[in-house]
Structures are given as C-alpha cells and as structure tokens.
Amino acid sequence: MNNKKFITSSSIKLWPKLGMRASFGLMALELAKIDDQLLIITGDVSTSAGLDRFRKKYPEKYIDVGIAEQNLLGIAAGLASEGHNVITATFAPFQTARCLEQIKVNLGYMNQKVCMIGLASGLVLGTLGYTHCCIEDLGILRSIPNIDVVSPADTTELAKALEAFYLSKNSMYIRLTGGSNIPLIFNEDYNFSLGKSSTLKVGKDIAILSTGTMLSVAMETANLIQKSNLSAEVINIHTIKPIDANKIIECGKKFNYIATIEEHNIIGGLGSAVAECLTSSGGTAKQLFYGINDKYSDGGEYKYLLKKFKSTAEDISKSINDTIK
C-alpha cells in the first residue's frame, strides 16, 4: 500500500452519519486507490456492506461467492497465499460461526492473512431474530490463534483498524456494531494502536471498560453517575485480542470496581477477557458485567433489545449506583 492519505478531515465528518457499514464501503473505495493488491470478497451482500459503488468501479477487485461462506473463506485464504490483501465481508454470524472450521484451519492454523469484516454484529438486526443478531463472535474468534479481534467504537476507529491490518502479521476480525448515524468519538489525529487501550475520561471510584459502539453508552453512563458524586474512568478496549492486559491489571489495583459494557454475551466476550486478566492482577476490584446475559430472547427493534437487556446508560448507571452506594 502506498503512502497516499487514507483518512481525511472531510471523511471523518461524513462517516458517522452513514454508520459503520456504509462507511466501510466508502473506505473500500479509498483503499482501492492506494492498494494494487486489494481484493474484496463477499457472500451476496454488496448492498448491505455498502460495496455497490466499489463493485461497479473495481470489478476486477471484487468477488461475490454467493451465500457460501465456507467457500468465501477458502477462496480468501487461497488468494492471500498468492500475495493479495484480502478483505471478506458478510453479516457477522455468517462471517464467524458458519465458517468457523475454515477460519480455524486456513487462517489460524495455516496462518494465511485475511481481514474479516463482521457486518451488523450485536443486536442491530434484532427484527430478523438471532439468526442475524450476533452475540457470540468475540468468544468464538478470540479462542483461535493468529487472529486479531477488533471492535471499533466509531467510524474513525474502523478506518484506523483497517490501516492496522496492513501492519499486523495476523488475520484480523473487525466487528461492526451500531446502526446509522452513530456518535463520532475520535478525530483524524486519534492515535490508534492495536492491542493498546485508550482512556477517554479519568476517574477514581470505578473503571468502565467498553468496546464497540457501546463506548458512547459507557461515556453517557459515566456522566449520569457523576450526578450521584461518583467519578468514573472510561477506557476504550477496542482490541479484544491482543487485549491490553497491563492496563486492565493496573485498573484492578487502582479501583474497587470495574464495569465492562459490551453488546455481546457476557460469557466469552470483553467481560470474560477482562476477568481473565484480573485473576493475575493482585488487586481486589469487583467486576460488574453488563451485556447479554447468556440467553436468546424474542426479536425486536434495536433500542427495544438494548432496553430489554438493561444495556442503556440509564439502566447501567442505576445498577452501578445501587452497587457502589
């Protein structure tokens, strides 16, 4: 990839209005201009992935395998072995669970380097039920060697993660959450480093660790509990693997309480990864888990499901207040 600028101040302002998926499509157009070896492979989702313009402008760089995700990963690994920079894109449950063996063997075991984009993860496709919601992908993929797992908080962080893929020796899974018109958290000068967390707010009573678009909920939660004279430190854990263990261990010693907020099953995701680090911290922090409480519910609109699983800032702040006070 040449040194032409990929992220600009104008794109930073536009992307959040479009959401993760549509912004990914625009980012792909920019990547194609600077990466002669780029190939994007999808499973019949060009419109859903925001890739219609890419497909028409760069037909030689675009492959659609249809609804055949196992083949998608096999083809991607083969093309990567021939020196191409390969990005695959389909809905998160099909990108991960449906082709898990191919990911394990071709990317993990054989160590072919592919960037997998998991579209619309979490609960945003709740009206389609849990065949299309994805609350398991972090737990699935962080257990496979040689795969970096990233959950961007906003569209800027998505762009930064795509840049990081080129510098990593591993395959990467990028988990896209949230709908359209998501909050902008980071600007062009944001220093993203794979495996290193970032602190958005400093506090003394509780550390709130979050990932994906739930980071905006974490910030709102911190503001709400501040009204009750509780001071929260908010930390963005954008990389689930390799996770910033040093920062988590530091929090375990510094704080009496640590809360993890995620749009994922509380088993296997960010909360579990943080708990694994805390067991060796030597600290005494009590961990509070906020996410999907290990069950499938009825389907519904995105906001309805977040409320159902008590994953709104109001619900989480009340729980934290009740626990600490």
Side-chain angles (χ1 to χ4, degrees):
M1 188 166 72
N2 65 41
N3 292 323
K4 184 178 177 182
K5 199 162 187 177
F6 167 48
I7 303 172
T8 65
S9 56
S10 59
S11 60
I12 290 288
K13 295 174 183 176
L14 171 64
W15 290 336
K17 300 175 184 177
L18 303 176
M20 291 287 199
R21 286 189 276 162
S23 294
F24 165 66
L26 294 180
M27 293 173 197
L29 286 169
E30 296 304 311
L31 283 175
K33 297 175 185 178
I34 59 180
D35 181 6
D36 294 335
Q37 295 301 314
L38 175 67
L39 288 175
I40 295 184
I41 310 177
T42 71
D44 193 28
V45 294
S46 66
T47 300
S48 299
L51 290 168
D52 280 341
R53 291 173 62 190
F54 182 95
R55 173 176 55 84
K56 294 171 183 175
K57 187 170 184 177
Y58 299 104
E60 75 283 0
K61 294 180 177 291
Y62 181 85
I63 301 171
D64 191 333
V65 304
I67 304 174
E69 288 79 4
Q70 293 95 336
N71 289 340
L72 184 151
L73 261 296
I75 293 168
L79 291 169
S81 74
E82 294 298 316
H84 291 285
N85 297 317
V86 182
I87 298 175
T88 63
T90 188
F91 289 109
F94 314 137
Q95 179 70 267
T96 55
R98 183 171 289 175
C99 50
L100 176 57
E101 184 178 1
Q102 285 71 28
I103 295 172
K104 170 191 170 182
V105 174
N106 294 332
L107 307 189
Y109 184 35
M110 296 175 66
N111 206 16
Q112 299 299 336
K113 184 181 173 183
V114 171
C115 180
M116 299 173 285
I117 305 294
L119 305 173
S121 192
L123 300 171
V124 71
L125 293 183
T127 54
L128 299 177
Y130 285 85
T131 56
H132 287 65
C133 290
C134 194
I135 61 170
E136 315 88 358
D137 48 349
L138 297 180
I140 289 170
L141 291 188
R142 76 183 187 91
S143 67
I144 298 177
N146 301 320
I147 297 179
D148 300 327
V149 180
V150 180
S151 182
D154 69 356
T155 48
T156 304
E157 202 161 59
L158 167 57
K160 297 282 187 175
L162 286 168
E163 286 185 328
F165 166 68
Y166 284 89
L167 301 175
S168 176
K169 69 181 187 301
N170 292 331
S171 287
M172 181 179 289
Y173 174 62
I174 302 180
R175 182 186 203 241
L176 305 189
T177 52
S180 59
N181 199 22
I182 62 176
L184 174 65
I185 299 175
F186 302 109
N187 291 310
E188 185 180 357
D189 59 355
Y190 168 50
N191 183 23
F192 176 94
S193 181
L194 191 69
K196 295 295 182 182
S197 62
S198 59
T199 301
L200 278 70
K201 183 178 174 65
V202 175
K204 59 183 178 59
D205 295 314
I206 183 171
I208 301 177
L209 281 56
S210 190
T211 192
T213 52
M214 292 300 285
L215 184 62
S216 62
V217 174
M219 288 295 291
E220 188 179 351
T221 299
N223 292 335
L224 287 174
I225 65 173
Q226 190 170 349
K227 296 176 182 178
S228 302
N229 295 318
L230 290 176
S231 172
E233 189 154 312
V234 180
I235 300 168
N236 175 27
I237 309 291
H238 50 69
T239 309
I240 308 300
K241 184 183 179 182
I243 201 162
D244 191 349
N246 289 337
K247 184 63 176 179
I248 294 167
I249 291 170
E250 176 187 311
C251 288
K253 295 177 179 178
K254 178 180 177 182
F255 295 95
N256 291 324
Y257 292 92
I258 293 176
T260 50
I261 300 177
E262 59 188 317
E263 198 176 322
H264 186 277
N265 193 341
I266 58 173
I267 296 176
L270 172 66
S272 291
V274 168
E276 290 163 11
C277 296
L278 289 176
T279 57
S280 60
S281 71
T284 58
K286 178 180 179 180
Q287 185 174 346
L288 311 176
F289 295 78
Y290 298 103
I292 315 306
N293 193 21
D294 194 33
K295 65 180 179 181
Y296 298 121
S297 70
D298 54 342
E301 295 286 346
Y302 187 35
K303 290 182 179 179
Y304 163 80
L305 289 176
L306 289 175
K307 181 66 177 175
K308 184 179 183 66
F309 287 109
K310 299 188 183 304
S311 292
T312 67
E314 291 78 10
D315 289 319
I316 296 171
S317 62
K318 182 180 185 305
S319 174
I320 290 174
N321 275 321
D322 292 344
T323 300
I324 295 181
K325 293 216 163 180

